[in-house]
Amino acid sequence: MEIGDRKKHHLKAISRSHVWVWIIILVFIFIFSMTVIGMMTGTYMSTLFYSKFSSEYNRTNEIAMIYQNALESNTELADVFAGTGRDIVITDADNNVIYESGENTCSFEGGMVNDLSLPMFITQFSSEPVLNYTVYMDSVNKAVYVTPDHKLTLNILEIRNNFNSYFNDPDSVGVPFDEGGTGEAEFEMIMGSGLIRFPFWISVDVNGGSRHFISKAYISANLNDMVMMAVTLMVVSALMMVLFIILIVNIVNSALKRGKILRVFFNDLPTHGHNYMHFVIKGGEMIHRISGYGIRYAVVDLSFVNYRFFCVCHSVEEGEKMLRRVYETIKSQLDPKKELCAHGSDTEFALLMRFTDPEALRRRLMTLIGMLEKVHEEHKFVFHAGIAVIEPDGTPDKSGVPVRRKTVDIEVVYSNACTARESLSDSGESGTAMFDEKLIEDQKWIDAVQEHQQKAIDNEEFMVYYQPKYDPRTDELRGAEALIRWQSPEFGFVPPGKIIPIFEKNGFITEIDHYMISHVAKDQKMWLDMGYKCVPVSVNVSRAHFIESDLAEQIRDMIDAAGCPHDLIEIELTESAFFDDKNALINTINKLKNYGFAVSMDDFGSGYSSLNSLKDMPLDVLKLDAEFFRGENGGGRGEIVVSEAIRLAKSLNMRTVAEGVEIREQVDFLAAQGCDMIQGYYYAKPMPKNEFAERVSAGRATVS
Ligand code: C2E
Ligand code: CA
Ligand code: CA
């Protein structure tokens, strides 16, 4: 994974992480910790109750033994119980009271507690045996009896619930406790001297089960125990709270941090808006949303064409101000919830738009561009928009394969939009262009050419073809134009139309011009040495070359290095070259002429009129563009223009060459008008060097 991809991956993860996931986790942790605290409290209370109860039971058992002994030795019972300080009741097997002592009495008509058990885990982990008793209630003192012949596991909560039915309804004595009751237990709580006491009655069988010895006991909890428990609970609760708060703080913090990270990563400094990363991630989410599968989206690359020019003329600060205005204008024209806009590199803006009809989308963009052109009061800006469409899920693409929305990569679509926008790059006007697969093919071809261009020069894969120029009156060979061909091992025979525009754009054209000049000079020198009657050969020199102030010297040196006489080389300038720095151009032309090279104006009459250039430039040859002769059947206005152009050239002391002449009538017409040379298929197509050499050696034309 590349660094950019990894960054995107992280950002996607950050932007997707949701706080509510953390809140759910937090709630779970809270419930879990409360359960643990509750169970700890329960266990603690049960254990406490259990141990207190056991010791009270043992004590009752001891007194019961004393009573048993007293029975056997006929000792006076009052004496026996006097020292115990307890309330005592003794019943026979039928629960008839046969003895009572102490302040409180009890009826024996309590109910019983059935099979109450501690929660499983407490009984499992408790080292103490579980005691089973039946508990009766004391309606007088609000305490309970416990008899060993009925089962009772020490679940204090259950006991409390069962007490309630008796406290609330004293008349219901005799009803089993487990029929239940609700409400608060009303234990007699004897507080003082550090004790909380829960009174109840304990019954022990004596005399072989024929009597029940029942004594009042208290479960007393030491206040220290209670305090300890309370403190422990508070500490545990406090710890839990601290943990809880730490978690909450962390969540809030990470949410804030996430917001900050996203702001830093998604913020665009010059426009104060969103950047390309935001477009990729949020736009990706939008187009991948299942609810949006049926929607047609357009990804638009909107280029602020003259931004840099504006910055140079004003300042970068002013330029950024314009970027901000442009961004705000775009934003104002988009649906803030359903569409997106971001500022990419300096001059580029990325847009994600919804649409149904491509023509309506184009109109919408042109309206937007119309507004953007006017964001500056004085300048009219130029904007180019490249559009690439994301079709609804399931729509068959060009090769019939249905579009799968979830696999659509918004960056690839944006790159397609950029390719579409680049196709407008030669235009100085605002406009839109829709992406087409053919553009990708073109782009791939450009890449391939650029990749191979240097190797092609090094391996001499470029060949010089010569197209002869003939005198239409005598059919004599008068000259030729050198035209490039590429014999590529990878791509085969490539005509100049497929490479020259690429080289002109990437600047490699200067290398090509050098290559052609030096090869033509060498060929000429070779033919001269072979004794041929050589004719001047013109070489095309690109306008890109003319920014070099020593161009004339470079050309001279190359030709001299080959040992070629200067009058055998002619330099062709295209009309477009005349739009650049005029003085520099005149300077170079003068130098070339001084060195003895003829200079011609290529493609005269195509595109813009260059009558003005003719006025200023000291040129030797005027090449009439092939367009003059296309579809011309003679006798029309075209002929008038051609004859006037030839006349004009003559009066400026220039020779004329007519290009693209294919039929005899045109040759005759041009001959009659005094055209000096014809370069066209009528006489010859561009041909390889050896073929041309044969023509040079023959010296005369062979009409094909
Ligand atoms: P150009 O300089 O105007 O060259 C003339 C073009 O017209 C040549 O096309 C030639 O083959 C074609 N042509 C000549 N006579 C006829 C005719 O009777 N009928 C038709 N249909 N076409 C005719 P080519 O060789 O394909 O070159 C195309 C363009 O590529 C040239 O236009 C020139 O601008 C550029 N180019 C070619 N070689 C070079 C070079 O070495 N350096 C530079 N800078 N540009 C070159
Ligand atoms: Ca030319
Ligand atoms: Ca031409």
Side-chain angles (χ1 to χ4, degrees):
M1 211 191 283
E2 285 181 14
I3 295 173
D5 286 345
R6 232 176 301 156
K7 203 154 80 175
K8 237 176 286 155
H9 188 76
H10 287 322
L11 273 176
K12 271 187 188 158
I14 291 169
S15 67
R16 275 198 201 127
S17 73
H18 293 295
V19 175
W20 57 262
V21 175
W22 280 104
I23 292 175
I24 291 177
I25 292 172
L26 207 70
V27 168
F28 271 107
I29 291 174
F30 185 74
I31 292 172
F32 177 75
S33 49
M34 285 302 122
T35 312
V36 167
I37 291 173
M39 283 189 331
M40 278 176 64
T41 316
T43 311
Y44 189 89
M45 298 277 282
S46 298
T47 314
L48 192 74
F49 185 89
Y50 176 79
S51 73
K52 302 282 180 189
F53 177 80
S54 297
S55 73
E56 281 305 311
Y57 175 74
N58 290 340
R59 179 73 189 123
T60 307
N61 226 8
E62 276 168 25
I63 306 169
M65 282 304 108
I66 295 168
Y67 165 65
Q68 178 80 46
N69 292 340
L71 268 187
E72 282 161 16
S73 57
N74 277 329
T75 315
E76 185 55 42
L77 287 182
D79 296 341
V80 173
F81 298 129
T84 65
R86 296 201 170 212
D87 297 345
I88 285 167
V89 177
I90 296 167
T91 65
D92 63 13
D94 298 326
N95 280 347
N96 298 315
V97 178
I98 53 176
Y99 180 83
E100 274 182 281
S101 119
E103 280 178 32
N104 299 316
T105 58
C106 81
S107 72
F108 303 97
E109 296 167 272
M112 62 181 181
V113 177
N114 288 345
D115 278 342
L116 298 171
S117 44
L118 290 171
M120 272 294 283
F121 73 94
I122 295 183
T123 49
Q124 264 175 14
F125 296 108
S126 170
S127 57
E128 307 287 339
V130 174
L131 296 175
N132 297 318
Y133 292 97
T134 302
V135 179
Y136 287 89
M137 121 100 212
D138 175 347
S139 61
V140 180
N141 283 319
K142 298 179 181 175
V144 291
Y145 293 113
V146 182
T147 61
D149 51 338
H150 293 287
K151 286 180 183 172
L152 164 66
T153 48
L154 299 173
N155 184 328
I156 191 161
L157 294 175
E158 291 291 342
I159 292 168
R160 283 167 59 112
N161 276 341
N162 285 302
F163 291 159
N164 294 338
S165 62
Y166 285 89
F167 293 131
N168 296 340
D169 181 10
D171 296 339
S172 68
V173 182
V175 177
F177 284 128
D178 62 348
E179 284 189 3
T182 52
E184 284 300 304
E186 294 176 41
F187 283 106
E188 176 194 24
M189 291 176 77
I190 306 152
M191 297 190 64
S193 58
L195 286 177
I196 301 170
R197 305 209 295 166
F198 302 94
F200 60 100
W201 293 84
I202 296 174
S203 165
V204 176
D205 286 359
V206 285
N207 214 21
S210 64
R211 290 195 184 167
H212 302 308
F213 177 86
I214 301 161
S215 156
K216 190 170 183 179
Y218 294 92
I219 284 186
S220 54
N222 190 315
L223 199 59
N224 288 344
D225 289 345
M226 300 302 275
V227 169
M228 266 302 289
M229 189 182 83
V231 167
T232 311
L233 276 176
M234 275 162 65
V235 168
V236 172
S237 305
L239 280 176
M240 289 289 187
M241 279 312 284
V242 168
L243 185 78
F244 204 65
I245 288 167
I246 289 174
L247 267 170
I248 288 180
V249 168
N250 261 337
I251 289 169
V252 172
N253 234 346
S254 71
L256 289 177
K257 249 189 225 155
R258 173 178 161 264
K260 253 187 220 162
I261 290 172
L262 291 182
R263 260 200 304 284
V264 167
F265 273 97
F266 288 160
N267 187 39
D268 176 63
L269 288 176
T271 60
H272 301 179
H274 289 132
N275 62 11
Y276 181 66
M277 195 66 93
H278 181 267
F279 178 79
V280 170
I281 290 172
K282 293 291 164 196
E285 282 173 13
M286 262 187 192
I287 61 165
H288 291 151
R289 223 170 269 157
I290 295 172
S291 57
Y293 270 19
I295 293 162
R296 264 181 125 184
Y297 280 109
V299 172
V300 180
D301 171 44
L302 188 68
S303 174
F304 186 168
V305 178
N306 36 11
Y307 169 70
R308 286 188 201 291
F309 179 73
F310 182 84
C311 286
V312 170
C313 295
H314 295 79
S315 66
V316 175
E317 259 177 20
E318 276 290 306
E320 290 189 346
K321 212 189 273 174
M322 287 305 113
L323 286 180
R324 260 197 298 286
R325 278 200 210 163
V326 167
Y327 183 86
E328 290 305 325
T329 311
I330 298 173
K331 222 173 98 182
S332 70
Q333 295 304 302
L334 299 183
D335 182 329
K337 289 215 175 79
K338 296 173 182 160
E339 298 180 316
L340 271 185
C341 155
H343 179 224
S345 61
D346 282 7
T347 53
E348 310 302 303
F349 291 86
L351 281 66
L352 182 67
M353 297 168 84
R354 289 171 169 227
F355 76 104
T356 43
D357 168 39
E359 194 39 44
L361 171 75
R362 211 190 59 78
R363 277 200 303 274
R364 201 179 150 202
L365 274 170
M366 281 317 289
T367 312
L368 170 65
I369 288 174
M371 295 168 81
L372 297 177
E373 281 178 335
K374 290 182 251 155
V375 291
H376 193 282
E377 301 72 29
E378 290 154 23
H379 285 263
K380 186 184 177 220
F381 291 135
V382 174
F383 286 86
H384 289 163
I387 309 162
V389 169
I390 304 172
E391 294 291 0
D393 197 62
T395 316
D397 66 9
K398 285 249 162 63
S399 44
V401 182
V403 171
R404 285 284 153 255
R405 261 299 178 76
K406 61 172 184 285
T407 61
V408 173
D409 183 343
I410 196 163
E411 285 197 272
V412 173
V413 187
Y414 179 70
S415 145
N416 290 345
C418 291
T419 307
R421 195 260 309 145
E422 269 160 28
S423 71
L424 298 166
S425 62
D426 289 336
S427 162
E429 298 287 314
S430 292
T432 64
M434 197 63 103
F435 171 74
D436 190 282
E437 288 297 331
K438 197 187 159 290
L439 291 173
I440 293 266
E441 291 306 311
D442 294 350
Q443 198 62 47
K444 281 186 182 157
W445 169 248
I446 291 170
D447 271 8
V449 168
Q450 305 202 135
E451 203 178 295
H452 289 85
Q453 60 191 27
Q454 190 56 49
K455 181 183 74 82
I457 287 243
D458 297 344
N459 297 346
E460 305 242 321
E461 290 169 20
F462 295 117
M463 294 185 310
V464 182
Y465 267 47
Y466 291 89
Q467 186 177 28
K469 297 171 190 166
Y470 284 96
D471 183 329
R473 284 155 302 199
T474 59
D475 290 344
E476 263 178 85
L477 180 71
R478 280 290 177 80
E481 179 179 2
L483 295 158
I484 196 168
R485 301 290 181 266
W486 184 15
Q487 186 60 57
S488 159
E490 290 86 7
F491 311 114
F493 189 81
V494 184
K498 289 194 77 177
I499 46 173
I500 295 294
I502 299 173
F503 295 150
E504 275 178 342
K505 260 195 176 167
N506 71 10
F508 197 68
I509 193 71
T510 54
E511 305 278 327
I512 295 291
D513 288 350
H514 283 160
Y515 181 96
M516 292 295 284
I517 290 167
S518 56
H519 276 72
V520 168
K522 274 183 212 153
D523 286 350
Q524 290 281 57
K525 167 73 176 145
M526 182 180 73
W527 292 324
L528 206 60
D529 290 349
M530 287 164 78
Y532 292 177
K533 192 168 161 274
C534 286
V535 289
V537 173
S538 61
V539 187
N540 293 284
V541 176
S542 161
R543 62 185 291 201
H545 226 133
F546 274 83
I547 47 168
E548 292 174 28
S549 58
D550 63 343
L551 176 67
E553 286 78 6
Q554 285 180 34
I555 292 174
R556 180 200 61 196
D557 293 348
M558 270 185 287
I559 290 163
D560 287 348
C564 173
H566 293 188
D567 60 354
L568 290 183
I569 300 291
E570 193 178 301
I571 302 300
E572 285 193 20
L573 305 175
T574 52
E575 229 184 307
S576 58
F578 295 87
F579 278 102
D580 290 331
D581 187 345
K582 207 160 128 190
N583 290 334
L585 194 63
I586 295 174
N587 199 21
T588 302
I589 292 171
N590 278 329
K591 277 201 265 179
L592 285 168
K593 282 171 63 91
N594 286 342
Y595 295 142
F597 303 111
V599 183
S600 60
M601 182 195 277
D602 200 357
D603 302 337
F604 177 76
S606 77
Y608 306 94
S609 164
S610 47
L611 285 175
N612 238 359
S613 313
L614 284 183
K615 175 175 70 100
D616 302 318
M617 310 282 165
L619 297 159
D620 302 292
V621 181
L622 191 69
K623 291 190 82 180
L624 302 175
D625 192 71
E627 272 307 309
F628 282 122
F629 311 104
R630 212 136 289 160
E632 187 57 56
N633 292 322
R637 294 166 67 91
E639 282 193 347
I640 300 170
V641 176
V642 169
S643 61
E644 287 306 312
I646 293 170
R647 223 159 57 88
L648 176 70
K650 287 215 176 302
S651 36
L652 290 168
N653 272 333
M654 293 168 80
R655 278 167 286 140
T656 45
V657 177
E659 277 191 298
V661 174
E662 295 185 351
I663 50 175
R664 181 73 224 179
E665 288 73 29
Q666 290 169 340
V667 177
D668 291 342
F669 169 75
L670 288 162
Q673 299 309 312
C675 177
D676 298 297
M677 280 173 267
I678 285 181
Q679 178 192 342
Y681 289 0
Y682 173 76
Y683 283 109
K685 289 187 173 178
M687 58 189 67
K689 162 173 143 177
N690 294 341
E691 233 175 273
F692 178 64
E694 279 172 26
R695 294 200 182 211
V696 177
S697 65
R700 279 186 63 82
T702 34
V703 175
S704 47

